[in-house]
Amino acid sequence: KKADRLFTGTLNGRIIEILQNARRAGATKVVIANKDGLVTVRDNGQGIDDFARLLDLGGSGWEDALESSEDPAGVGLFCLAPRKLTIRSNGRMVTIEPDAWIGRPADVIDDHKPQSGTVLTFTDEPWTREAVESNAVFCGMDVIVDGQRCHSESFVSDAALHHPELGCRIEVCEVKNLTDWHRRVRKDRYYGPNVLVNFHGQAVSFDYRPVSERDLCIQVDMT
């Protein structure tokens, strides 16, 4: 009953959640379009099998391997509450009205125009390329906004050391060799954070200096 008040997050947070959902569904491409106050997000992932899990707060509905490796929190589509949302996938569709987020049943019906993957259409402020790109550049998917492709690059180079037991690749480089996108994560202060971590597109930074070395940056790419 409180979902419409619990999930009133930022535009950046909504973009991150929806891109992560698409990636977890196996998508390699996400197309975003803005028109007349509506945002449409279309991915080429495996689609939705059980629509009832969409509003199962805390239950992710992902397969066991992904549940074990990532422990998704089950927030998912609740990041869009309390907006009106239409979901089309695997020949079925549902429209979640504002009161459906807080308990009213929503009917799943056959889609007269079946869609591959998943298509989300909802009311929101524009998802501009600038807003999306910072969350898409390291996500590993091809992301297009209003016909413009977002920049994409690898978080670490082929020289990174793979640590499968830790679930990541690690590379140490000189700060002066960081790309512009890595500098944005670091916020590029003179003595800025020296550790950059990429969780499938969601990049964060923090400071960890076991030795007094100011010119090196540690990049951690979660696998």
Side-chain angles (χ1 to χ4, degrees), residues 75-88:
V75 174
L77 291 179
F78 275 92
C79 71
L80 298 178
R83 296 165 179 79
K84 180 178 179 179
L85 165 66
T86 297
I87 307 167
R88 306 172 72 177

Side-chain angles (χ1 to χ4, degrees), residues 115-184:
Q115 307 287 316
S116 59
T118 299
V119 182
L120 310 176
T121 302
F122 50 92
T123 55
D124 203 353
E125 61 187 284
W127 285 29
T128 64
R129 180 189 175 194
E130 181 180 25
V132 172
E133 193 167 42
S134 61
N135 298 300
V137 62
F138 298 124
C139 76
M141 297 183 294
D142 184 18
V143 181
I144 299 171
V145 180
D146 291 332
Q148 292 186 302
R149 181 167 275 101
C150 292
H151 180 74
S152 176
E153 64 181 58
S154 176
F155 194 74
V156 294
S157 75
D158 293 339
L161 191 61
H162 189 200
H163 292 272
E165 75 283 3
L166 299 177
C168 65
R169 295 183 297 163
I170 300 176
E171 182 174 14
V172 180
C173 69
E174 293 185 83
V175 170
K176 66 182 181 181
N177 292 331
L178 290 174
T179 72
D180 288 342
W181 287 102
H182 288 86
R183 291 182 183 280
R184 293 190 192 191

Side-chain angles (χ1 to χ4, degrees), residues 48-69:
I48 299 168
D49 291 326
D50 185 1
F51 275 70
R53 298 301 294 271
L54 294 174
L55 297 185
D56 179 12
L57 183 58
S60 71
W62 300 110
E63 60 184 20
D64 291 344
L66 194 145
E67 187 81 44
S68 174
S69 65

Side-chain angles (χ1 to χ4, degrees), residues 10-120:
T10 63
L11 172 63
N12 194 55
R14 293 192 292 279
I15 293 170
I16 288 171
E17 278 289 341
I18 297 305
L19 288 180
Q20 292 283 2
N21 274 3
R23 177 191 59 80
R24 286 172 174 146
T28 58
K29 184 177 182 178
V30 177
V31 178
I32 299 170
N34 298 276
K35 185 177 181 181
D36 300 330
L38 293 175
V39 179
T40 298
V41 181
R42 180 188 305 268
D43 72 53
N44 65 347
Q46 64 189 11
I48 299 168
D49 291 326
D50 185 1
F51 275 70
R53 298 301 294 271
L54 294 174
L55 297 185
D56 179 12
L57 183 58
S60 71
W62 300 110
E63 60 184 20
D64 291 344
L66 194 145
E67 187 81 44
S68 174
S69 65
E70 295 191 24
D71 189 25
V75 174
L77 291 179
F78 275 92
C79 71
L80 298 178
R83 296 165 179 79
K84 180 178 179 179
L85 165 66
T86 297
I87 307 167
R88 306 172 72 177
S89 184
N90 288 343
R92 312 207 72 194
M93 65 181 294
V94 64
T95 296
I96 303 174
E97 300 283 353
D99 56 358
W101 294 105
I102 53 174
R104 186 179 70 80
D107 294 327
V108 181
I109 62 175
D110 290 335
D111 189 351
H112 64 284
K113 293 183 178 179
Q115 307 287 316
S116 59
T118 299
V119 182
L120 310 176

